[in-house]
Amino acid sequence: MGKRKKNTYGITVLCLLALLRTAIFGIGGWAVLGAAPKANINQVLVNGLASLAYSIDVSQFRLSQDEFNDVYADMSYSSPQLFYVVREWKMSYSSDGIVRTVYPKYTDSGDKAIITAKKAALELAVDVAMSQMPINGTDAEKVLAAHDYIVANTSYDLPTLNVMDLEDGKYSAYDALVGRSAVCEGYSLAFGLLMDRLGIEWKMILSEGMGHSWNLAKVDGNWFHLDLTWDDPVISLTSQDPDYWGSVSHEYLLLSDSELVSRSHGEELHYGWDSGGIVCDTSIPQRFWSGVNGRMAYKDGYWYYLKRANSGSAQIVRASYHAAHEMVVASFTSSSPRLAQCGQLLIYNTNNEVYAIKHDGSEKTLLGTVAGMASNERVYDLAVIDGNAVARTRASSDLTKAAKTVAFPIPGAEEALKALVYIVSNKIVTGVEAGTTVEQFLSGFENSARIIANHGPGSLVATGTVVQAASDTGAECVVVIYGDCHESYLGTGDGLVDQADFIAMAAFAISKGGSGPLYEAAKPACCVFGAIWEAGCACIWHAVM
């Protein structure tokens, strides 16, 4: 097993890399960056893993065990969409040592319904992240936005250091973007996933000596280092709640080789990496983000971030990437200010209150006040989670654990359903405009059959609806499921509507014959999972029965 140590503001943190190997039919491992001996094998592996294949024939490439290990590991570290593939595999090979067949291992026991549902959840999470990216910005702006989004919305997962299990630990882009908790590998792969969407070339760097990973990104033709994990300040190894939500450092953003090795927290430095021959020898003369300690949010060509006026007050300022002039959007009193973004609103906190304000500084709204706070207690953490501004308080006498957590609904976060378009055979059926009820939706189809799922005390709605539409090729349908039903596909609810419900709904639809998602159901700009429909969460699935 590999570990790395890091000091953030004088505090030591560990980061684990998955180094587990298996010796059944062969050896599985991981490798540093490098060109695959047979480049075409990457696509064969990706295609097989995407279809959850039990075995993949690779005999045509005539690779030795060591060659195949390098190719497989390199492919997995450059394919963040394959989050459900455990980096542990078996092989069969011929008498001359040539690998014939690889037998992958998947999470969730290879359950296609659950894994496909999780794919949909990840796609929704990526869509939410992309809504806050500068699509038409510079390369540096795209990297900055992805860096800050991931760091602000992901907590470093200390328990993984104790689990040290490739399947149960939090190493993937899914863990970072959907579960909002990961170790360095998850941060790095989540960044790669957003870079793929933004059209920026990237690499994941591994240091076996450090037991750590970080990224390279190609900006305006030059390669730079960035370490999202080391830019996410934590409190201590023994903290019950180690991560300050909304706290973002920019110390390790877009550095040259020499800059990277000259920067340390405590005793730890970056060392022992293999970049596959890539040299980072360019410095950025004017770092727009230098000195900003907190989330930098992007909206319509401008960046919004916090500046401290003095120890007890703060400002939200606005500036463009190309201009040094800063305009003050809001001024307020806070000992530990944090900034978040939700659609058309900026979210920030005072010592005991949470506010929303438009990006131009208008329509300031008090979302809520944290009641019952002790005299030495104040809001230290702020995040946007499932359409709520979630504040955590800490007592100055013990910052290692949160005293209380309070969620305040954000106006407009629970948008009505957006227009849906379904492809049924060769014709397009347009359904569900904003505000459409279930009954109105059903009335648009001639034949329908309703199924009711179980739900327990305290749950919201757990109803499944199968809507059938006539077609020339057979019975096709749209499956509509909504509500609180997260356990065992559509089992007992827990009174909450969250990511687990979305996954359960999608998995249920797939288990009934669903072919995959055409889900454009309400995706609020800051709500990661599913849609708000009447009292619950909606999952819209296209299925062939």
Side-chain angles (χ1 to χ4, degrees):
M1 295 296 171
K3 296 182 179 179
R4 66 91 166 154
K5 294 183 178 179
K6 161 190 175 270
N7 286 330
T8 301
Y9 307 131
I11 305 300
T12 299
V13 178
L14 299 179
C15 176
L16 176 68
L17 272 181
L19 310 180
L20 187 62
R21 298 172 181 266
T22 179
I24 304 175
F25 301 116
I27 299 175
W30 65 292
V32 295
L33 297 172
K38 303 282 187 178
N40 291 339
I41 193 176
N42 282 344
Q43 196 57 53
V44 171
L45 290 171
V46 169
N47 291 344
L49 296 170
S51 64
L52 299 176
Y54 169 74
S55 63
I56 303 173
D57 184 353
V58 294
S59 58
Q60 61 178 306
F61 300 103
R62 298 195 57 77
L63 299 179
S64 68
Q65 295 176 50
D66 288 341
E67 287 175 328
F68 178 79
N69 286 339
D70 288 347
V71 170
Y72 195 90
D74 186 60
M75 176 276 306
S76 64
Y77 279 118
S78 61
S79 304
Q81 76 278 13
L82 300 176
F83 64 88
Y84 49 88
V85 179
V86 180
R87 201 162 294 113
E88 177 183 340
W89 59 90
K90 302 175 184 178
M91 292 183 291
S92 66
Y93 43 88
S94 60
S95 58
D96 58 356
I98 298 301
V99 178
R100 297 172 59 87
T101 307
V102 60
Y103 301 90
K105 182 177 181 180
Y106 303 106
T107 62
D108 301 294
S109 301
D111 188 315
K112 182 177 181 180
I114 295 177
I115 291 174
T116 305
K118 286 185 174 181
K119 287 183 182 180
L122 178 59
E123 187 64 22
L124 284 174
V126 170
D127 285 348
V128 172
M130 289 299 296
S131 72
Q132 298 183 30
M133 297 295 112
I135 305 301
N136 298 317
T138 64
D139 289 351
E141 285 184 287
K142 293 174 182 178
V143 170
L144 169 62
H147 169 279
D148 278 32
Y149 182 88
I150 293 169
V151 173
N153 290 286
T154 305
S155 296
Y156 189 85
D157 187 68
L158 293 177
T160 292
L161 297 174
N162 300 317
V163 173
M164 294 187 179
D165 186 282
L166 289 175
E167 189 166 359
D168 295 332
K170 297 181 179 179
Y171 302 99
S172 71
Y174 178 91
D175 292 314
L177 293 173
V178 179
R180 301 168 61 94
S181 180
V183 291
C184 54
E185 196 171 319
Y187 282 76
S188 300
L189 290 170
F191 176 79
L193 195 57
L194 295 186
M195 290 300 98
D196 284 342
R197 289 285 292 269
L198 289 166
I200 300 291
E201 194 172 351
W202 66 280
K203 300 287 185 183
M204 179 170 154
I205 289 287
L206 304 171
S207 169
E208 186 172 2
M210 297 174 67
H212 183 45
S213 71
W214 62 96
N215 292 102
L216 295 180
K218 196 171 187 179
V219 173
D220 297 328
N222 297 305
W223 286 96
F224 297 90
H225 294 268
L226 65 157
D227 191 332
L228 281 72
T229 313
W230 282 33
D231 273 341
D232 194 359
V234 300
I235 301 169
S236 77
L237 281 175
T238 58
S239 297
Q240 179 180 334
D241 302 291
D243 189 72
Y244 286 128
W245 293 347
S247 182
V248 179
S249 169
H250 299 91
E251 185 177 359
Y252 292 93
L253 177 60
L254 295 180
L255 304 180
S256 66
D257 290 334
S258 59
E259 289 171 332
L260 182 72
V261 298
S262 67
R263 300 191 180 193
S264 67
H265 285 164
E267 300 176 355
E268 190 63 45
L269 291 168
H270 288 82
Y271 69 91
W273 73 86
D274 185 341
S275 61
I278 294 175
V279 177
C280 302
D281 57 2
T282 304
S283 295
I284 296 178
Q286 294 181 334
R287 291 187 168 88
F288 175 68
W289 49 86
S290 292
V292 178
N293 184 19
R295 166 81 187 278
M296 298 182 70
Y298 177 86
K299 181 68 176 176
D300 297 333
Y302 290 98
W303 289 90
Y304 299 82
Y305 49 95
L306 292 170
K307 292 195 73 174
R308 293 288 191 97
N310 55 55
S311 59
S313 62
Q315 297 174 330
I316 300 175
V317 299
R318 184 184 82 177
S320 71
Y321 181 77
H322 301 286
H325 176 70
E326 295 176 336
M327 186 189 82
V328 177
V329 174
S331 298
F332 56 100
T333 300
S334 178
S335 300
S336 301
R338 301 283 185 253
L339 181 67
Q341 185 170 228
C342 179
Q344 302 301 315
L345 299 172
L346 293 169
I347 313 298
Y348 66 94
N349 66 280
T350 65
N351 287 340
N352 66 333
E353 298 168 322
V354 178
Y355 286 89
I357 193 170
K358 286 196 171 182
H359 289 75
D360 62 3
S362 66
E363 298 185 29
K364 175 181 174 181
T365 303
L366 174 65
L367 298 183
T369 300
V370 183
M373 293 174 58
S375 59
N376 67 340
E377 186 182 343
R378 60 180 180 263
V379 175
Y380 271 86
D381 307 336
L382 181 67
V384 172
I385 303 175
D386 293 342
N388 296 297
V390 184
R392 286 199 311 202
T393 67
R394 298 174 189 266
S396 57
S397 59
D398 185 6
L399 296 177
T400 64
K401 61 182 179 180
K404 62 174 62 69
T405 302
V406 182
F408 303 112
I410 300 173
E414 297 182 356
E415 297 177 349
L417 282 177
K418 298 178 180 179
L420 302 177
V421 177
Y422 300 100
I423 300 175
V424 179
S425 293
N426 295 321
K427 65 179 180 178
I428 296 178
V429 178
T430 303
V432 196
E433 299 294 338
T436 301
T437 65
V438 176
E439 287 69 26
Q440 290 171 332
F441 177 77
L442 293 176
S443 67
F445 297 86
E446 295 181 359
N447 302 308
S448 66
R450 176 165 294 189
I451 57 175
I452 306 298
N454 295 325
H455 57 93
S459 65
L460 299 176
V461 182
T463 303
T465 302
V466 177
V467 184
Q468 295 184 339
S471 72
D472 297 332
T473 59
E476 298 195 17
C477 71
V478 175
V479 178
V480 182
I481 309 170
Y482 55 96
D484 170 32
C485 50
H486 82 283
E487 293 184 12
S488 186
Y489 287 9
L490 290 181
T492 303
D494 61 358
L496 300 174
V497 176
D498 53 23
Q499 59 153 313
D501 296 302
F502 177 86
I503 294 170
M505 296 168 195
F508 178 79
I510 298 168
S511 71
K512 294 299 182 181
S515 59
L518 288 176
Y519 56 87
E520 287 299 328
K523 291 185 289 188
C526 59
C527 179
V528 176
F529 306 109
I532 304 301
W533 189 352
E534 293 185 346
C537 183
C539 169
I540 313 299
W541 211 264
H542 176 257
V544 178
M545 297 297 191

